[in-house]
């Protein structure tokens, strides 16, 4: 997915950058998880390395849900409403900041995870907070996406919505069955749906010129009007456009 996104040059604009951030964060999360599991299999010892990779996994993995929420805000082009609403801003930032703070201070508090006398990875007393925050973002994303459903066509709406049950079901499974590592697989499936149905360069980029398509411009205008977004429009007239087109294509 990451190679495909880079190859298609879908890296410009907020929507593409946040989708790319989700892919990179998922890749880091997978790599850290694989290394952490392998270190755990070696048995006692390597506590520092185990701690580094377990914390790297939890930090990166718990960033995926809020990044998806930010991606939805970018897709709906509702950043101006985020700036206007303290409630919306708090709902977006406070949960993830709480989790990040708990993980960064974990070496002192050990409330998220620790290693027992046998150097075995053990969940801390507040580990459940990670799943609560993940499920919170799932509900937040569901409500947000449903509220702005008219801004998407049917295929895009279903594709974006498909990520939510994947994350929720996987989070619940791994909460009760820690040995069943399915969260990252579920996230990858959701990102694949988005890549196939939503992140489509042919819908927004003109193949000949590499510029944005006029249909994408119309979609942006309709979205801006629907969201009551403040905007300014500059009209530019190109003289002798027919002659330029005949010469340059």
């Amino acid at each position: 997915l990451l190679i495909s996104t880079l190859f298609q040059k879908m890296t410009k604009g907020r929507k593409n950058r946040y989708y790319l951030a989700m892919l990179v964060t998922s890749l880091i999360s997978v790599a850290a998880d694989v290394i952490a599991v392998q270190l755990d299999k070696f048995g006692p010892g390597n506590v520092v390395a185990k701690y580094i990779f377990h914390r790297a996994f939890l930090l990166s993995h718990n960033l995926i849900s809020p990044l998806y929420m930010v991606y939805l805000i970018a897709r709906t082009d509702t950043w101006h409403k985020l700036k206007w609403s303290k409630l919306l801003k708090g709902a977006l930032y406070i949960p993830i900041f709480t989790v990040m703070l708990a993980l960064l201070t974990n070496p002192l508090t050990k409330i998220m995870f620790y290693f027992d006398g046998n150097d075995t990875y053990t969940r801390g007393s507040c580990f459940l907070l990670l799943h609560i925050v993940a499920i919170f973002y799932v509900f937040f994303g569901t409500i947000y996406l449903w509220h702005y459903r008219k801004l998407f066509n049917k295929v895009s709406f279903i594709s974006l919505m498909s990520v939510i049950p994947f994350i929720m079901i996987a989070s619940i499974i791994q909460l009760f069955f820690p040995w069943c590592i399915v969260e990252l697989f579920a996230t990858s499936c959701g990102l694949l749906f988005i890549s196939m149905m939503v992140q489509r360069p042919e819908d927004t980029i003109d193949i000949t010129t590499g510029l944005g398509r006029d249909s994408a411009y119309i979609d942006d205008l309709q979205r801006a009007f629907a969201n009551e977004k403040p905007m300014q429009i500059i009209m530019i007239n190109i003289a002798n456009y027919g002659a330029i087109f005949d010469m340059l294509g």
Side-chain angles (χ1 to χ4, degrees):
L1 288 175
L2 182 59
I3 292 172
S4 174
T5 300
L6 295 174
F7 182 76
Q8 293 175 333
K9 298 181 180 180
M10 296 288 285
T11 57
K12 296 180 180 179
R14 279 182 171 178
K15 296 180 292 235
N16 294 328
R17 287 199 297 267
Y18 287 127
Y19 180 73
L20 190 62
M22 283 194 292
L23 292 178
V24 172
T25 304
S26 298
L27 182 61
I28 294 172
S29 183
V30 169
D33 191 28
V34 170
I35 295 173
V37 170
Q38 292 303 314
L39 288 172
D40 288 340
K41 289 181 179 179
F42 290 153
N46 300 312
V47 176
V48 174
K50 288 179 180 179
Y51 200 99
I52 290 172
F53 286 104
H54 274 289
R55 188 162 68 163
F57 162 68
L58 292 175
L59 283 169
S60 56
H61 179 64
N62 283 279
L63 278 174
I64 296 174
S65 294
L67 277 175
Y68 173 69
M69 191 62 231
V70 171
Y71 174 72
L72 287 182
I73 295 173
R75 292 282 336 169
T76 55
D77 195 18
T78 49
W79 286 104
H80 57 290
K81 295 195 175 183
L82 180 67
K83 294 178 181 178
W84 294 342
S85 174
K86 292 182 179 180
L87 179 62
L88 184 61
K89 194 180 296 185
L92 179 62
Y93 293 125
I94 291 176
I96 188 59
F97 281 166
T98 302
V99 167
M100 293 297 109
L101 181 63
L103 287 171
L104 290 173
T105 58
N106 190 69
L108 300 175
T109 62
K110 298 182 180 181
I111 58 174
M112 289 299 176
F113 70 93
Y114 61 93
F115 292 90
D116 62 16
N118 297 319
D119 296 339
T120 302
Y121 173 79
T122 307
R123 292 179 173 180
S125 58
C126 293
F127 190 87
L128 183 63
L129 175 66
L130 302 179
H131 293 276
I132 293 174
V133 169
I135 292 174
F136 167 79
Y137 278 115
V138 166
F139 280 110
F140 189 12
T142 302
I143 295 170
Y144 204 86
L145 191 55
W146 181 260
H147 182 72
Y148 292 104
R149 63 190 182 281
K150 293 182 180 180
L151 299 179
F152 302 99
N153 59 46
K154 189 175 182 179
V155 173
S156 296
F157 176 76
I158 293 174
S159 299
L160 290 168
M161 190 66 83
S162 68
V163 178
I164 294 170
F166 274 124
I167 295 176
M168 175 173 264
I169 293 172
S171 181
I172 293 173
I173 290 175
Q174 197 154 348
L175 174 62
F176 294 102
F177 305 98
W179 49 267
C180 187
I181 304 175
V182 295
E183 282 186 280
L184 296 175
F185 173 74
T187 301
S188 299
C189 290
L191 292 174
L192 178 61
F193 273 107
I194 294 176
S195 178
M196 293 172 58
M197 302 300 179
V198 182
Q199 291 290 115
R200 293 161 50 89
E202 60 269 25
D203 292 341
T204 58
I205 300 174
D206 182 76
I207 298 175
T208 304
T209 63
L211 301 174
R213 295 173 63 92
D214 56 348
S215 59
Y217 168 71
I218 294 171
D219 289 342
D220 286 342
L221 278 182
Q222 290 177 338
R223 191 177 298 113
F225 281 121
N227 293 335
E228 300 178 348
K229 178 183 178 181
M231 59 180 174
Q232 295 175 328
I233 300 176
I234 299 176
M235 305 296 293
I236 300 176
N237 179 52
I238 301 177
N240 301 320
Y241 179 76
I244 296 174
F245 185 82
D246 291 337
M247 287 188 295
L248 303 178

